[in-house]
């Protein structure tokens, strides 16, 4: 099993989610994060005062999948998440040694 963590543009989440769901991935976690990298935050206005936020909002995906889906899921994220601009994000892949379903004690890929 593999765990894929991807930091993506929030605006690309729906396209990535649709592609991954089409592969048969039934579960993923996502949450809003803030970070900084090569892309600089854009100047914004608040009550008529210009300011530049220190961090850029992004969405982080966490997906646990069987090994055979790894390449397909990565290709979905790469294809649907790409704008060609700095700040499109990163993908990280980890090995998952064990998984358990709490409800009925299923283990391994059956727990997914």
């Amino acid at each position: 099993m593999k765990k894929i963590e991807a930091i993506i543009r929030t605006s690309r989440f729906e396209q990535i989610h649709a592609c991954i769901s089409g592969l048969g991935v039934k579960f993923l976690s996502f949450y809003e994060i803030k970070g900084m990298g090569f892309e600089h935050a854009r100047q914004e206005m608040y009550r008529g005062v210009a300011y530049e936020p220190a961090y850029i909002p992004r969405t982080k995906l966490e997906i646990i999948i069987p090994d055979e889906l790894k390449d397909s899921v990565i290709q979905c994220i790469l294809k649907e998440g790409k704008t060609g601009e700095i700040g499109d994000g990163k993908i990280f892949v980890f090995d998952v040694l064990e998984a358990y379903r709490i409800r009925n004690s299923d283990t391994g890929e059956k727990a997914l």
Side-chain angles (χ1 to χ4, degrees):
M1 294 175 292
K2 301 291 184 200
K3 177 180 183 181
I4 297 177
E5 290 186 6
I7 299 170
I8 62 168
R9 291 180 185 273
T10 301
S11 63
R12 306 301 294 174
F13 173 75
E14 291 301 327
Q15 294 92 324
I16 292 170
H17 178 256
C19 186
I20 291 171
S21 295
L23 297 174
V25 174
K26 296 178 176 66
F27 177 80
L28 64 86
S29 297
F30 67 96
Y31 44 98
E32 301 302 317
I33 61 170
K34 293 180 184 178
M36 53 188 236
F38 291 119
E39 182 183 27
H40 298 287
R42 294 184 185 95
Q43 192 175 60
E44 296 185 16
M45 298 288 285
Y46 179 73
R47 295 187 177 181
V49 177
Y51 74 99
E52 188 171 300
Y55 303 104
I56 300 168
R58 291 290 182 257
T59 298
K60 184 173 184 178
L61 305 175
E62 293 184 357
I63 310 161
I64 311 294
I65 51 171
D67 289 337
E68 60 268 10
L69 285 178
K70 178 187 74 121
D71 292 334
S72 300
V73 169
I74 290 171
Q75 287 306 311
C76 273
I77 297 168
L78 289 172
K79 178 181 168 226
E80 300 298 334
K82 182 178 181 176
T83 67
E85 301 292 323
I86 292 174
D88 280 348
K90 304 271 191 248
I91 300 171
F92 305 98
V93 180
F94 305 91
D95 287 322
V96 175
L97 302 177
E98 297 181 42
Y100 299 89
R101 179 176 287 136
I102 295 171
R103 176 175 45 93
N104 59 11
S105 300
D106 281 348
T107 61
E109 288 186 14
K110 291 190 324 184
L112 299 180

